[in-house]
C-alpha cells in the first residue's frame, strides 16, 4: 500500500514475490481407518494461510479501488507436526518489491551541484498481434529467407509528450503505440545482438531476415507505415530434444514405464514421455511452451509410425478422429497425469490397444500447470496426506484457464488453444480431482471451502467418490446428432466406471455418506444425480451452439469443470469440429500407494471409454472433386459425430461410383 500510494493497480500484480509461512506445531495428525478420512489440524492451517491470503487481497482491493486484487504472488505454507506437546515456533519469510512496478531510474548531478532523478515506469503495453504478409523461400535452402510481418499501431511518430496533456502517463504508455516505437524496438534488438546479449531474442532456426511493417491504417497503403528490418545476426536457442531427459544409458527392456505408487512431478512425467518416444516409433513429442517459472512443457502424439518426411496435421485429423488428454490443470489433483500416461503406455505396449491407433490419433498433455505440480509434489514429500492446495492454482493464485483464449500473465495458459488449433480434435478431455477426505477450514468456523466473497463451494466438503461435476450437452437443431452422441458417451463411461468392483464399492460407500450427512440435511447444496450407479450431474437442458468465430479457446472460462458442450468449452464454440469436451472428479488430493492405484484406475476407465467411443465410431470421409480453370479442387470432409451406419453406407456407395 505504501509503494502504490494507497491505490494498487491490478496491472501491477504480482504484489510480492513469495510469502513462506513455515510452522512447527504440536497438533494431532492421524487416519480414521475410513477410506482416506483423517484428522489433520495442521493441514487446515495450510488451507487458512493459502486461501485467506488470496481472500485478503481480494477484500483489500475492493476497499482500495473497488475491485479485488488478483495474481498476488507465491503463497507457500509449510507445516511440521511434532507430538511432544511443547510450544511451537514459526518462521515467516516475505519478499516484497521496492516499487509498485518495474522502472528505469536515472540519478544525476548537474555541473552546478544540483541533484535530481528521472524515472520512467515500465508497465504492461497493449499491442495487436502481428499478421504475416509474406514468407520467402529459395530453392536449395532450408527454411525461410525472409518473413514479412505487419502490426497495427496508433500513430506514425511517438506522441507521448503531447498525449500526456490529455491522459495519465500510465494510460498513454499502456494504450498507445507508434510506428516510431516499433522501429526503435527492432533497432534495439539488432544492437543488443551485435553487443552479444539477447542473442536468441526473435532468432529462429532456418529463418533469415524479419521485416516488420508498423502501419497506422488498417489497410496497407503507401505512406501509412514504416518498415523495420532485423537481420539474422542472432543465435537461436537449440531445438529442444526430449531424449536429453532420459537417464544415462537408458534402454527399454519391457518394464512398466508409468508408476502408480506416488504422485508424478513434471521431471519424472516428462522423463516417462522421453522413454516412450525413445522406445516406440508410434510416439513423438515436442515442447509446446515454458511455464511462468520457466519449466519446459511437453506434448506427446501417438499414431501409427510415419515414414514420410512431411506430415499434414489437417489431413491426419480429417482422415481419422483425434482425442486430446490434457491433465493437471489444478495441479494438486495428482491422478490425471498418472492415468493418462498409463493409457499412452498401453497404446504403445499392449497389442490390443496398439490396434486402436489405426483408428484414432491420441494426444497427451500431461502437465497443464507444471509449476503447481512441482510445488504440490514438494509439499507431498513433506506431508504426504495433505491436500496441498498451494499447488492447485497457477503460481500467483489464479487459475491458468481463467480466460477463454489465454492469460497474458501465464505463458502456459495458451497451450490448450494451441492444442485445439493444431489437432482440431473430436474429443478434448480435462480430467480433474478433489480432496480424498473432508475439506473444511477448521479455523473459519469449520466451514466448507470459501475462497473469496464470490466463490463458495460448500458441497465439496465431503468426499463423494468418482463423479462428473457438470455433464452438459449440445441440443441445437443445427447439430441434431450431438445430443445423442453426448448421452452415448455418458452411458459408455458410467458403465466402464461401474464395471470395476473396487471402484463400485468405494463409490457406494462414498455416495451413501454424502447422502446421509449432506443431501438429507441440505438438498439445495448437496445434490445427487445418478446414471448407471455413477454420480453424474447432468444438465437439465442442453445448450445451443455459439455460431463459431472463437477459433480454439482455452478449456473453460473459470477453470470450470463442465463436460461436453457446456459453458465456455470447445463444443459450443466449434460444434462442427469437437463433439465432446469432458471433465472428471476423483478423490486424489493427495493419492499415493494403494489409494493412487484405485483413483488412477477410475481415471483410466474413463480414458478408455472415451477412446473406445471413437474407435467404435463409423467415421466416413466424404470426398468431393471440382474442376476449375483447367485444374481440380479436392475436398475431404469427415462428419462429426460419426454418422449412423445407414447413412454411411449410402455415402460409401456414392463415393464408389
Amino acid at each position: 500500500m505504501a509503494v502504490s500510494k494507497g491505490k494498487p493497480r491490478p496491472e501491477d500484480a504480482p504484489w510480492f514475490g513469495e510469502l513462506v509461512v513455515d510452522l512447527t506445531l504440536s497438533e494431532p495428525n492421524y487416519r480414521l481407518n475410513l477410506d482416506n478420512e483423517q484428522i489433520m489440524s495442521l493441514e487446515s492451517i495450510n488451507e487458512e494461510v493459502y486461501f485467506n491470503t488470496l481472500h485478503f487481497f481480494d477484500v483489500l482491493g475492493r476497499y482500495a479501488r473497488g475491485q479485488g486484487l488478483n495474481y498476488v504472488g507465491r503463497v507457500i505454507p509449510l507445516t511440521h507436526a511434532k507430538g511432544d506437546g511443547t510450544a511451537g515456533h514459526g518462521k515467516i519469510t516475505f519478499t516484497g518489491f521496492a516499487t509498485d512496478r518495474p522502472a528505469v531510474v536515472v540519478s544525476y548531478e548537474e555541473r552546478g551541484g544540483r541533484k535530481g532523478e528521472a524515472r520512467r515506469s515500465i508497465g504492461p503495453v497493449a499491442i495487436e498481434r502481428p499478421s504475416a504478409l509474406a514468407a520467402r523461400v529459395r530453392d536449395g535452402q532450408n527454411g525461410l529467407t525472409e518473413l514479412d510481418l505487419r502490426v497495427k499501431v496508433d500513430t506514425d511518430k511517438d506522441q507521448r509528450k503531447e498525449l500526456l496533456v490529455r491522459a495519465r502517463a500510465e494510460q498513454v504508455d499502456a494504450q498507445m503505440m507508434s510506428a516510431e516505437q516499433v522501429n526503435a524496438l527492432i533497432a534495439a534488438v539488432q544492437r543488443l545482438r551485435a553487443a552479444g546479449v539477447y542473442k536468441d531474442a526473435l532468432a529462429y532456426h532456418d529463418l533469415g531476415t524479419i521485416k516488420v511493417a508498423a502501419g497506422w491504417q488498417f489497410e496497407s497503403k503507401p505512406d501509412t507505415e514504416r518498415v523495420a528490418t532485423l537481420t539474422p545476426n542472432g543465435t537461436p536457442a537449440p531445438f529442444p530434444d526430449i531424449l536429453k531427459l532420459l537417464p544415462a544409458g537408458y534402454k527399454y527392456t519391457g518394464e512398466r514405464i508409468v508408476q502408480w505408487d506416488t504422485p508424478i512431478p513434471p521431471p519424472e512425467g516428462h522423463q516417462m514421455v522421453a522413454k516412450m518416444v525413445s522406445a516406440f516409433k508410434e510416439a513423438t513429442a515436442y515442447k509446446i511452451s515454458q511455464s511462468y517459472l520457466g519449466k519446459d512443457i511437453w506434448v506427446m502424439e501417438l499414431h501409427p509410425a510415419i515414414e514420410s518426411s512431411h506430415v499434414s496435421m489437417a489431413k491426419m485429423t480429417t482422415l481419422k478422429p483425434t482425442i486430446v488428454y490434457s491433465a493437471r490443470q489444478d495441479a494438486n489433483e495428482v491422478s490425471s497425469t498418472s492415468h493418462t500416461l498409463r493409457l499412452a503406455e498401453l497404446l504403445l505396449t499392449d497389442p490390443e490397444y496398439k490396434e486402436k491407433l489405426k483408428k484414432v490419433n491420441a494426444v497427451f498433455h500431461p502437465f497443464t500447470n507444471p509449476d503447481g505440480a512441482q510445488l504440490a509434489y514438494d509439499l507431498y514429500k513433506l506431508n504426504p496426506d495433505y491436500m496441498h492446495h498451494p499447488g492447485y492454482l497457477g503460481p500467483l493464485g489464479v487459475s491458468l484457464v481463467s480466460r477463454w483464449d489465454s492469460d497474458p500473465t501465464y505463458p502456459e495458459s495458451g497451450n490448450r488453444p494451441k492444442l485445439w488449433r493444431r489437432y482440431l480434435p473430436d474429443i478434448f478431455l480435462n480430467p480433474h480431482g478433489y480432496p480424498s477426505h473432508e475439506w473444511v477450514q477448521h479455523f473459519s468456523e469449520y466451514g466448507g471451502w470459501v475462497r473469496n466473497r464470490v466463490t463458495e463451494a460448500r458441497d465439496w466438503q465431503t468426499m463423494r467418490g468418482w463423479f462428473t461435476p457438470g455433464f452438459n450437452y449440445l441440443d441445437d437443431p443445427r447439430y441434431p446428432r450431438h445430443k445423442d452422441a453426448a448421452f452415448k458417451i455418458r452411458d459408455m463411461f458410467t458403465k466402464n466406471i461401474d464395471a470395476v468392483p473396487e471402484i463400485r464399492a468405494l463409490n457406494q460407500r462414498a455416495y451413501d455418506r454424502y447422502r446421509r450427512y449432506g443431501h438429507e440435511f441440505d438438498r439445495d447444496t448437496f445434490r445427487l444425480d445418478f446414471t448407471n450407479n455413477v454420480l453424474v450431474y447432468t444438465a437439465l437442458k442442453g445448450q445451443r451452439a455459439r455460431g463459431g468465430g472463437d477459433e480454439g479457446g482455452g478449456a473453460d472460462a473459470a477453470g470450470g469443470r463442465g463436460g461436453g458442450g457446456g459453458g465456455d468449452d470447445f463444443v459450443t464454440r466449434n460444434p462442427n469440429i469437437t463433439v465432446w469436451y469432458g471433465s472428471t472428479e476423483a478423490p486424489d488430493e493427495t493419492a499415493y500407494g494403494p489409494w493412487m492405484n484405485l483413483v488412477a484406475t477410475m481415471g483410466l476407465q474413463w480414458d478408455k471409454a472415451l477412446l473406445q467411443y471413437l474407435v467404435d465410431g463409423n467415421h466416413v470421409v466424404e470426398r468431393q472433386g471440382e474442376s476449375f480453370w483447367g485444374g481440380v479442387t479436392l475436398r475431404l470432409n469427415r462428419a462429426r459425430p460419426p454418422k449412423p451406419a445407414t447413412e454411411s453406407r449410402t455415402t460409401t456407395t456414392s463415393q464408389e461410383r
Side-chain angles (χ1 to χ4, degrees):
M1 293 297 284
V3 299
S4 64
K5 299 179 177 60
K7 295 292 182 182
R9 294 167 293 203
E11 62 267 26
D12 290 340
W15 315 107
F16 59 86
E18 284 188 352
L19 169 64
V20 180
V21 180
D22 193 340
L23 303 174
T24 300
L25 299 169
S26 184
E27 293 289 339
N29 285 282
Y30 57 88
R31 291 179 170 273
L32 298 181
N33 196 29
L34 176 65
D35 290 325
N36 219 30
E37 298 296 336
Q38 50 198 313
I39 297 294
M40 297 283 172
S41 302
L42 296 188
E43 177 187 55
S44 292
I45 292 178
N46 281 355
E47 296 284 296
E48 298 281 355
V49 169
Y50 184 69
F51 285 115
N52 285 354
T53 301
L54 303 185
H55 191 184
F56 170 81
F57 276 86
D58 178 69
V59 174
L60 177 66
R62 293 178 189 277
Y63 276 101
R65 298 197 65 91
Q67 64 185 108
L69 299 179
N70 298 314
Y71 304 94
V72 303
R74 299 195 72 201
V75 182
I76 305 175
L78 307 172
T79 55
H80 311 268
K82 62 191 185 76
D84 57 9
T86 59
H89 59 86
K91 179 182 179 182
I92 299 176
T93 306
F94 178 80
T95 58
F97 301 126
T99 60
D100 56 346
R101 58 172 54 184
V104 175
V105 180
V106 178
S107 299
Y108 61 87
E109 182 176 351
E110 297 177 353
R111 286 194 180 96
R114 179 179 174 273
K115 296 182 179 180
E117 183 178 275
R119 173 188 171 91
R120 180 73 176 270
S121 294
I122 304 173
V125 175
I127 187 169
E128 296 190 19
R129 184 185 297 272
S131 58
L133 295 180
R136 304 178 190 278
V137 297
R138 181 170 297 165
D139 185 29
Q141 183 175 333
N142 289 334
L144 307 179
T145 59
E146 182 180 308
L147 178 63
D148 294 354
L149 306 173
R150 187 178 192 272
V151 61
K152 171 67 171 61
V153 294
D154 302 293
T155 61
D156 176 16
K157 294 184 177 295
D158 185 3
Q159 299 178 359
R160 184 176 189 271
K161 185 177 295 185
E162 296 89 330
L163 293 173
L164 289 178
V165 179
R166 299 168 51 191
R168 292 183 297 109
E170 294 85 358
Q171 185 180 359
V172 172
D173 291 339
Q175 296 183 3
M176 302 301 293
M177 178 64 63
S178 67
E180 188 176 8
Q181 288 173 285
V182 172
N183 274 239
L185 175 64
I186 298 299
V189 173
Q190 187 84 10
R191 293 197 305 272
L192 289 167
R193 283 178 173 182
V197 293
Y198 296 100
K199 296 286 286 186
D200 60 352
L202 296 180
Y204 304 96
H205 293 276
D206 298 327
L207 175 59
T209 300
I210 299 176
K211 287 187 177 180
V212 181
W216 49 94
Q217 298 291 334
F218 284 103
E219 295 183 5
S220 180
K221 299 177 182 178
D223 302 321
T224 63
E225 58 190 27
R226 296 191 188 198
V227 179
T229 300
L230 183 62
T231 58
N233 66 335
T235 305
F239 279 121
D241 182 3
I242 196 165
L243 298 183
K244 292 182 179 179
L245 304 182
L246 291 172
Y250 174 78
K251 185 176 181 180
Y252 178 69
T253 58
E255 73 282 358
R256 177 165 170 168
I257 294 174
V258 181
Q259 57 86 10
W260 280 3
D261 297 322
T262 65
I264 299 174
E268 182 183 2
H270 289 146
Q271 187 179 89
M272 292 173 180
V273 171
K275 289 179 178 179
M276 290 187 237
V277 171
S278 72
F280 301 98
K281 58 185 179 180
E282 294 85 359
T284 58
Y286 63 94
K287 175 184 167 183
I288 189 171
S289 74
Q290 281 189 322
S291 70
Y292 178 83
L293 296 178
K295 295 180 177 61
D296 289 346
I297 303 174
W298 294 86
V299 172
M300 178 169 61
E301 302 173 359
L302 300 187
H303 39 65
I306 297 172
E307 304 298 335
S308 59
S309 61
H310 292 71
V311 176
S312 167
M313 189 56 64
K315 184 180 291 186
M316 283 185 66
T317 199
T318 300
L319 298 178
K320 202 166 58 171
T322 299
I323 185 169
V324 174
Y325 297 88
S326 182
R328 296 288 278 283
Q329 171 186 310
D330 301 331
N332 68 315
E333 300 162 4
V334 297
S335 67
S336 59
T337 297
S338 303
H339 64 73
T340 55
L341 286 181
R342 177 59 180 155
L343 177 64
E345 184 177 8
L346 289 174
L347 287 167
L348 294 171
T349 60
D350 186 308
E352 178 185 351
Y353 278 86
K354 184 171 284 193
E355 280 294 306
K356 300 178 191 294
L357 289 180
K358 295 180 180 179
K359 297 185 176 182
V360 178
N361 304 309
V363 180
F364 295 88
H365 177 214
F367 297 98
T368 301
N369 179 7
D371 294 336
Q374 185 61 57
L375 177 58
Y377 181 75
D378 294 339
L379 296 175
Y380 154 80
K381 291 190 292 183
L382 181 62
N383 292 299
D385 295 309
Y386 290 7
M387 293 178 278
H388 302 311
H389 280 121
Y392 166 69
L393 301 168
L396 302 179
V398 174
S399 173
L400 291 171
V401 290
S402 58
R403 297 167 55 123
W404 167 253
D405 47 2
S406 63
D407 186 331
T409 301
Y410 296 136
E412 65 270 46
S413 66
N415 287 345
R416 282 182 172 165
K418 289 180 186 177
L419 290 171
W420 189 90
R421 286 191 290 265
R422 175 176 170 84
Y423 299 107
L424 302 178
D426 297 61
I427 293 178
F428 197 108
L429 300 180
N430 176 18
H432 281 260
Y434 72 106
S436 60
H437 53 275
E438 184 185 45
W439 183 7
V440 292
Q441 293 175 244
H442 291 158
F443 305 97
S444 294
E445 300 180 349
Y446 203 81
W449 179 37
V450 180
R451 196 161 106 205
N452 54 45
R453 60 182 281 178
V454 177
T455 304
E456 295 185 6
R458 299 185 185 278
D459 58 321
W460 295 85
Q461 175 176 338
T462 304
M463 199 274 280
R464 49 185 145 168
W466 189 96
F467 69 99
T468 296
F471 185 92
N472 299 293
Y473 52 91
L474 204 65
D475 192 6
D476 191 316
R478 294 169 294 175
Y479 306 95
R481 293 183 292 112
H482 278 63
K483 180 178 179 180
D484 289 342
F487 281 96
K488 181 177 180 179
I489 287 170
R490 185 186 66 172
D491 189 61
M492 290 181 69
F493 74 67
T494 51
K495 287 180 178 178
N496 234 33
I497 291 291
D498 200 50
V500 179
E502 294 81 5
I503 298 176
R504 187 187 316 117
L506 170 66
N507 280 344
Q508 293 310 313
R509 293 195 304 271
Y511 299 158
D512 181 63
R513 289 199 298 272
Y514 192 77
R515 178 186 291 108
R516 189 186 318 163
Y517 299 113
H519 181 71
E520 295 300 330
F521 288 91
D522 182 1
R523 297 195 176 196
D524 286 340
T525 300
F526 300 89
R527 293 168 292 108
L528 296 171
D529 185 6
F530 292 100
T531 300
N532 295 326
N533 301 317
V534 176
L535 187 59
V536 178
Y537 292 103
T538 302
L540 298 178
K541 189 174 182 178
Q543 301 208 3
R544 296 292 180 94
R546 297 189 177 196
D550 292 304
E551 186 177 276
D556 33 10
R561 305 177 180 185
D568 288 319
D569 66 68
F570 296 104
V571 179
T572 54
R573 292 174 181 262
N574 297 282
N576 281 324
I577 294 172
T578 302
V579 175
W580 200 71
Y581 166 84
S583 188
T584 66
E585 295 293 347
D588 63 355
E589 300 175 10
T590 294
Y592 64 92
W595 192 263
M596 172 64 89
N597 272 269
L598 181 58
V599 297
T601 299
M602 294 173 170
L604 185 60
Q605 288 295 101
W606 185 72
D607 297 339
K608 291 178 179 179
L610 274 298
L611 180 74
Q612 194 62 41
Y613 169 79
L614 293 180
V615 170
D616 293 343
N618 187 41
H619 305 283
V620 176
V621 177
E622 299 172 341
R623 294 170 168 84
Q624 292 179 317
E626 298 176 1
S627 60
F628 74 102
W629 299 338
V632 295
T633 296
L634 177 64
R635 180 180 293 111
L636 299 135
N637 182 63
R638 177 174 54 80
R640 311 182 191 194
K643 290 183 178 180
T646 53
E647 290 186 45
S648 65
R649 278 198 295 269
T650 302
T651 305
T652 303
T653 302
S654 175
Q655 288 175 8
E656 289 173 350
R657 289 176 184 169

